[in-house]
Amino acid sequence: MNAPDQATPSSGHLEVTGLCKAFGGVQAVNGFSFDAKPGEIVGIIGPNGAGKTTAFNLVTGVYTPDSGSVVLDGVALGGQRQDEIARQGVGRTFQNIRLFKGLNVLENVMTASDPYADYNFLAAVLSLPAKRRSDRQAAEKAREYLDLVGLRGLEDDRPEALPYGLQRKLELARALALRPKVILLDEPAAGLNPSEVREFIDLVKRLHERFNFTIVFIEHRMEVVMNLSHKLFVMSFGKLLASGAPEAVRRNPEVIEAYIGEEE
């Protein structure tokens, strides 16, 4: 089966400036900024509790920033709903896998096609030809994305019955079905064994080469970080600690003290 057609994005420039978010008296994110240019692979690292996932939640509309801005290709995303941000071209996976247990593998990926459906409410209620045609097209595309991540033949399986590594791939396939300009991956290698980690690195490289979307990912496993990142941003206590090329960041004494030194 051929991989899905998708034009190479001519955009995907994500600019995050001065994000702040407090929960009660705790400043989870404190003036954090990063940018990812079109086609870049950007890593965000830092100790547990540094605010990395909160930053992703602010970018994708799960939380509303207390201050700061999120801009995609010149369009401010602040104040938009999560579904609106997804329509702007921001796809995402989660640190704790979030799949729809009431749906099978194919249907999980098909849900991401809803923003592009070309039928109205009446057609959906009455199951008119436009609805049935749209569903067939969505199913065909979903199968292609599943094939692309190596899940061919598992369309009818329940996601909760899949091994953990395959659930990670399913979540990635669903994110791809959003046709993203930017895809955010929150600890995508968490829970994978060493061979699965290497397979994941190769998969991301293949997808990036094919679609040329911008990727921003949070990760603790340095094998993933060093093999994928074009540049790194380091968070500590909600703030930007360091940024730059991966090798330079890895040698930064402040980063070693705050984070990398804990892992090695």
Side-chain angles (χ1 to χ4, degrees):
M1 182 179 294
N2 293 328
D5 294 330
Q6 178 168 329
T8 300
S10 59
S11 52
H13 187 187
L14 183 64
E15 301 170 275
V16 176
T17 306
L19 279 188
C20 291
K21 184 66 179 179
F23 299 97
V26 178
Q27 192 72 42
V29 178
N30 189 3
F32 181 59
S33 301
F34 73 91
D35 72 288
K37 295 181 173 58
E40 280 191 325
I41 303 179
V42 173
I44 299 177
I45 66 173
N48 289 326
K52 304 181 296 297
T53 294
T54 301
F56 267 22
N57 287 337
L58 294 170
V59 170
T60 56
V62 177
Y63 302 142
T64 300
D66 296 333
S67 59
S69 65
V70 179
V71 177
L72 176 63
D73 296 329
V75 177
L77 302 184
Q80 295 192 37
R81 300 190 310 267
Q82 294 179 58
D83 62 300
E84 292 172 331
I85 291 173
R87 288 189 183 95
Q88 293 285 349
V90 180
R92 179 181 182 178
T93 67
F94 293 86
Q95 180 179 358
N96 298 313
I97 296 174
R98 299 183 185 181
L99 298 170
F100 300 113
K101 294 183 178 180
L103 304 177
N104 64 25
V105 166
L106 180 67
E107 291 165 340
N108 262 269
V109 180
M110 287 176 63
T111 62
S113 299
D114 287 347
Y116 309 106
D118 57 355
Y119 58 84
N120 57 30
F121 177 76
L122 182 63
V125 171
L126 299 179
S127 191
L128 295 179
K131 170 65 163 60
R132 296 196 298 271
R133 181 175 61 252
S134 181
D135 284 349
R136 287 195 300 270
Q137 293 171 346
E140 180 182 356
K141 285 296 183 183
R143 289 188 180 94
E144 293 174 348
Y145 285 113
L146 288 170
D147 183 56
L148 199 58
V149 301
L151 295 181
R152 180 193 295 185
L154 301 177
E155 292 86 351
D156 295 327
D157 287 20
R158 292 291 170 179
E160 62 270 24
L162 296 177
Y164 191 83
L166 297 188
Q167 291 185 36
R168 286 282 182 196
K169 288 184 176 182
L170 175 55
E171 198 176 35
L172 181 56
R174 188 176 60 188
L176 292 175
L178 281 169
R179 310 176 196 173
K181 298 177 183 178
V182 178
I183 188 166
L184 308 180
L185 308 176
D186 192 348
E187 295 197 34
L192 303 184
N193 63 42
S195 64
E196 289 173 331
V197 169
R198 291 190 293 272
E199 182 181 351
F200 169 77
I201 292 170
D202 290 340
L203 174 59
V204 171
K205 287 180 176 179
R206 290 197 305 272
L207 294 174
H208 182 257
E209 181 178 359
R210 180 174 185 87
F211 296 114
N212 197 37
F213 39 47
T214 305
I215 299 174
V216 183
F217 70 93
I218 296 167
E219 188 53 65
H220 285 287
R221 302 178 80 148
M222 295 309 296
E223 179 183 2
V224 177
V225 172
M226 300 306 293
N227 274 281
L228 290 180
S229 304
H230 296 154
K231 63 184 179 185
L232 285 178
F233 293 84
V234 185
M235 286 190 79
S236 182
F237 297 104
K239 298 181 179 180
L240 178 64
L241 177 64
S243 64
E247 283 296 340
V249 169
R250 188 184 179 98
R251 295 193 299 268
N252 185 307
E254 290 183 305
V255 174
I256 294 171
E257 181 179 358
Y259 175 55
I260 296 177
E262 298 179 1
E263 303 294 323
E264 299 182 339

